[in-house]
Amino acid sequence: MTFKEIAQRFERSESGSDSFKTFFKDAFDLMKIDPENAGLYFVVGVAAQTYVIKYEDQAVDPAFADRAKATLEGFNQRLLGALTLEPDARLRVLGEVAVDYEWKVDAF
């Protein structure tokens, strides 16, 4: 399975924690298959895993879940674009996504 397929499946899925769980497991599995880009998959995989850890056993407002899902979808789109770039540019996008996740995302 490719990252594009994983990202598309997540995009088509519901906003619940099960979708985030499937996504992070697939992203982590992809790290083994494509170690050259493992950092890209790791950063979004950890974001999705954190969402699951925080919210899996809680009732979450649907609007909140939709916003969290949209945030991860945005990261995925940026990383999909990065996969077409040279390694140094890919690393720069990875850094930008990591910084955005750490400093601009307070939901998960």
Side-chain angles (χ1 to χ4, degrees):
M1 184 170 288
T2 67
F3 185 67
K4 182 176 182 178
E5 292 168 330
I6 293 167
Q8 287 174 336
R9 186 172 59 195
F10 180 73
E11 194 172 314
R12 290 188 304 267
S13 69
E14 298 294 323
S15 298
S17 61
D18 286 345
S19 298
F20 284 82
K21 185 183 288 186
T22 299
F23 177 83
F24 86 71
K25 287 179 178 181
D26 289 344
F28 290 163
D29 285 344
L30 190 56
M31 290 172 62
K32 299 174 205 167
I33 297 166
D34 184 13
E36 183 176 316
N37 294 303
L40 301 174
Y41 313 137
F42 181 75
V43 74
V44 290
V46 165
Q49 184 181 44
T50 301
Y51 182 90
V52 171
I53 290 168
K54 287 176 90 172
Y55 302 112
E56 182 174 34
D57 296 328
Q58 297 183 36
V60 175
D61 179 66
F64 174 83
D66 290 345
R67 281 192 309 276
K69 185 172 181 285
T71 297
L72 189 55
E73 288 172 358
F75 289 159
N76 290 344
Q77 289 305 310
R78 290 167 64 186
L79 296 182
L80 281 168
L83 287 169
T84 66
L85 303 174
E86 294 296 319
D88 61 328
R90 207 175 315 146
L91 183 60
R92 186 174 52 254
V93 173
L94 170 60
E96 291 168 358
V97 169
V99 167
D100 285 351
Y101 173 66
E102 176 63 27
W103 300 110
K104 296 180 181 175
V105 175
D106 59 359
F108 57 100

